[in-house]
Amino acid sequence: MTDPIPANDEFETDFEVGQDNIDGQLGPFGFDIHNPVFVISGLFAVAFVLITLLFPDQAGAVFLAVRNFATTKLDWFFMIIVNFFVIFCIALIFLPMSKVRLGGADAEPEYSYIEWFAMLFAAGMGIGLLFFGVLEPVYHMNVSGPLSTPSPIAADGSIIAENVEAARRMGLAATFYHWGLHGWAVYAIMALALAFFTYNKGLPFSIRSCFYPLLGDRVWGWWGHCIDILAVFATLFGLATSLGLGAQQANAGFNFAFGLGISTNAQVIIIILVTAVALVSVYRGLDGGVKVLSEINMVLALLFFLFVLLVGPTLAGLDGFWTGLIAYAQDVVPLSNPFGRSDDAYREGWTAFYWAWWVSWAPFVGMFIARVSRGRTVREFLICVLIIPSMIIFIWMGVFGGIAIEQILASPETSLVKANVIDSYSPELSLFGMLNELPFTKIASTIAIFLALVFFVTSSDSGSLVVDTITAGGKIDAPVPQRIFWCVVEGLIAIVLLIGGGLSALQAGVTATGVPFSILMLAMCYTIFQGLRTEQR
């Protein structure tokens, strides 16, 4: 973090980390905050919570309008810009500048591959694996019609045999598309920019540092303040969406396994309890909290995955992964095409929202990945961040989706997955519908709930560390009370979004911040290229 800046006019600066910070004591608590990023971000976050609580109906209408506009009018924008991110990352892997090592030629990795992958797994995937692993393949196969593929289920519930294979194949490919290279390219760009400009150029560990080649010393003024404030809100709303979905699924799981009623009040209580646990992890810091939880998460997820694979129709699960992988490789280009398509339900309702969600998560996941990736070469970093998590997700969703699809095709009249996903659209129950047809249902459901909650905690505490770093001017050792403040704020925003409109409100928060931040990330590609071009290989 303290490496000197090379003797290069483009990167010379007299700025010191924390020089604009305000530090001191407030009663028994110390503080060290960046002025004005912390103050503006904190005041706006608190104001957002209060206004949404006071006017939930009006806020809900606004959230719905924002979501509809962003997903129906700007779908082409999100698709083009994320396509560019993928092309940029792949091109960078093959350029000579990818031999640059993050942290300098003599830098050594701080974490082993296993520890590194565990933290990538927990921070970058989170609740999405559990919430969408069954839901997406089944929904895309039967309802959304990616690339106008016909549904295999007729209006009367019977199976249309000639449509089955094409729809099954497309349901898996369409899911892999949302969770594969495109999404991880978004994270990779953010993480690479932060790691390079921090470890190699000696700039503060903050989003604004990524724009130094464009703005020079102006990044330490209001240009930089606005960039960091936008990053804070993108992170808060991206996390709030995940926390809200996690609360909905945990509530559905408790209902399925133990009969607890499904309600917004129950979901609010779940968020409060999980945030309380996250506070303990936040207090313990990166190595004592996040790293330990990430490793627990990885082991639990692996055991849960093996249970589903081995006690379920194993061949159907493995075939789901293989079929999905081949279909993804064949259809990723037409799925990425933003023009001349008639599958609005899929392209607007799913893809546009997903790309906005990945972009809004980019500051959070990117900063987290950057913090644990010192010592890797750019090529090693990009290959691992793009390929390893994508393959893990493909295996998970291929197996879960393949098994759920097999259950529907075997008995469409009695399938609980079909009833939850297709008939009533209760997405939070999709995983438990699949588990209902496996042995040891109650035990498996309880493990799924616990795993969802651990993912929940990991996302919350990782996000708190990242937001605190941004609002502390790039300091990674700011006082603990500041991390606790942001952990509480994350939970409150998730709660008010649920109260103010449920899923629509969660999606609105993501898309509203995803649009401007995606433009910043496009500029970031330029600064990465310019920075690597000046670095010794």
Side-chain angles (χ1 to χ4, degrees):
M1 291 284 186
T2 58
D3 294 346
I5 299 172
N8 183 315
D9 289 343
E10 188 176 1
F11 296 101
E12 282 186 355
T13 178
D14 296 328
F15 185 85
E16 295 182 6
V17 177
Q19 72 175 35
D20 294 330
N21 283 19
I22 302 173
D23 61 343
Q25 288 286 131
L26 185 62
F29 304 112
F31 60 89
D32 190 352
I33 60 176
H34 186 278
N35 180 41
V37 174
F38 183 97
V39 176
I40 294 176
S41 300
L43 288 177
F44 269 91
V46 172
F48 175 84
V49 169
L50 293 176
I51 291 172
T52 306
L53 286 175
L54 291 173
F55 307 102
D57 295 336
Q58 294 87 337
V62 172
F63 295 148
L64 181 61
V66 169
R67 186 203 66 176
N68 289 343
F69 175 80
T71 56
T72 60
K73 304 299 183 184
L74 297 176
D75 55 300
W76 59 272
F77 167 80
F78 283 117
M79 295 182 74
I80 289 174
I81 208 164
V82 175
N83 285 343
F84 176 80
F85 294 157
V86 177
I87 295 170
F88 178 79
C89 287
I90 293 174
L92 207 55
I93 290 173
F94 293 99
L95 291 175
M97 63 180 66
S98 65
K99 296 178 182 178
V100 170
R101 187 172 295 277
L102 299 175
D106 299 325
E108 295 289 336
E110 299 177 66
Y111 300 98
S112 69
Y113 274 114
I114 296 298
E115 293 172 333
W116 190 38
F117 292 155
M119 287 189 276
L120 290 179
F121 177 84
M125 301 178 201
I127 198 66
L129 282 179
L130 296 175
F131 195 92
F132 294 103
V134 170
L135 168 66
E136 268 210 76
V138 171
Y139 190 85
H140 297 327
M141 182 187 79
N142 294 283
V143 180
S144 69
L147 302 181
S148 302
T149 304
S151 171
I153 298 182
D156 61 2
S158 61
I159 299 294
I160 306 173
E162 59 268 27
N163 292 350
V164 167
E165 189 53 36
R168 173 176 173 271
R169 178 182 172 282
M170 184 52 65
L172 292 164
T175 302
F176 286 16
Y177 170 58
H178 288 155
W179 292 88
L181 296 178
H182 284 71
W184 285 93
V186 175
Y187 290 167
I189 287 171
M190 176 63 68
L192 177 59
L194 282 164
F196 175 75
F197 287 108
T198 300
Y199 301 141
N200 294 70
K201 299 301 185 183
L203 300 178
F205 192 58
S206 190
I207 307 295
R208 68 175 69 199
S209 296
C210 304
F211 297 90
Y212 191 84
L214 274 177
L215 299 174
D217 283 339
R218 285 174 294 176
V219 295
W220 317 129
W222 274 102
W223 281 98
H225 300 339
C226 293
I227 289 170
D228 279 351
I229 291 168
L230 181 58
V232 169
F233 279 99
T235 303
L236 289 176
F237 284 109
L239 280 168
T241 300
S242 296
L243 300 184
L245 293 177
Q248 289 178 339
Q249 185 165 48
N251 188 191
F254 283 122
N255 174 265
F256 178 79
F258 307 110
L260 176 69
I262 296 178
S263 67
T264 301
N265 288 339
Q267 292 159 18
V268 167
I269 292 172
I270 290 171
I271 292 175
I272 292 172
L273 293 176
V274 169
T275 301
V277 176
L279 289 173
V280 177
S281 180
V282 164
Y283 178 78
R284 291 175 60 87
L286 181 63
D287 289 330
V290 177
K291 178 184 159 188
V292 172
L293 276 176
S294 298
E295 291 172 347
I296 292 173
N297 229 11
M298 188 173 72
V299 173
L300 278 176
L302 176 61
L303 293 175
F304 182 64
F305 169 82
L306 291 175
F307 168 81
V308 171
L309 177 62
L310 296 176
V311 306
T314 305
L315 293 179
L318 294 175
D319 185 62
F321 160 66
W322 184 244
T323 299
L325 186 61
I326 294 174
Y328 170 72
Q330 293 174 338
D331 292 325
V332 65
V333 173
L335 285 169
S336 303
N337 174 31
F339 303 114
R341 292 168 58 175
S342 57
D343 55 349
D344 292 353
Y346 174 77
R347 192 183 68 261
E348 296 175 355
W350 289 85
T351 302
F353 164 68
Y354 261 122
W355 294 164
W357 193 10
W358 284 91
V359 167
S360 70
W361 259 52
F364 154 49
V365 180
M367 292 193 80
F368 187 77
I369 293 174
R371 282 191 63 175
V372 299
S373 298
R374 186 184 180 118
R376 310 288 177 185
T377 66
V378 171
R379 179 173 294 153
E380 176 189 18
F381 173 88
L382 287 173
I383 291 173
C384 289
V385 172
L386 287 178
I387 303 299
I388 300 299
S390 295
M391 290 304 298
I392 293 173
I393 293 177
F394 292 167
I395 294 170
W396 181 288
M397 292 193 161
V399 168
F400 278 57
I403 290 174
I405 290 171
E406 177 69 17
Q407 291 173 346
I408 292 176
L409 296 177
S411 55
E413 300 85 5
T414 60
S415 170
L416 196 55
V417 176
K418 176 179 177 294
N420 289 329
V421 176
I422 302 171
D423 299 337
S424 65
Y425 191 63
S426 302
E428 65 277 0
L429 285 168
S430 55
L431 172 64
F432 301 102
M434 185 266 285
L435 294 177
N436 186 62
E437 300 184 37
L438 301 182
F440 311 110
T441 300
K442 284 290 179 67
I443 296 175
S445 299
T446 303
I447 294 173
I449 296 168
F450 184 74
L451 185 58
L453 293 176
V454 176
F455 270 127
F456 202 162
V457 172
T458 307
S459 295
S460 180
D461 61 11
S462 302
S464 302
L465 290 171
V466 165
V467 174
D468 183 47
T469 299
I470 298 173
T471 57
K475 288 192 172 182
I476 60 173
D477 55 353
V480 173
Q482 292 171 209
R483 280 179 262 159
I484 292 175
F485 169 78
W486 288 116
C487 187
V488 172
V489 167
E490 286 166 20
L492 288 175
I493 289 178
I495 288 171
V496 300
L497 286 174
L498 280 175
I499 294 173
L503 185 59
S504 295
L506 295 170
Q507 293 175 332
V510 164
T511 53
T513 54
V515 173
F517 207 81
S518 61
I519 297 173
L520 287 180
M521 289 192 63
L522 189 62
M524 206 176 285
C525 293
Y526 169 80
T527 64
I528 290 172
F529 185 82
Q530 288 295 96
L532 289 174
R533 192 172 55 83
T534 68
E535 188 73 3
Q536 181 181 357
R537 298 163 199 167

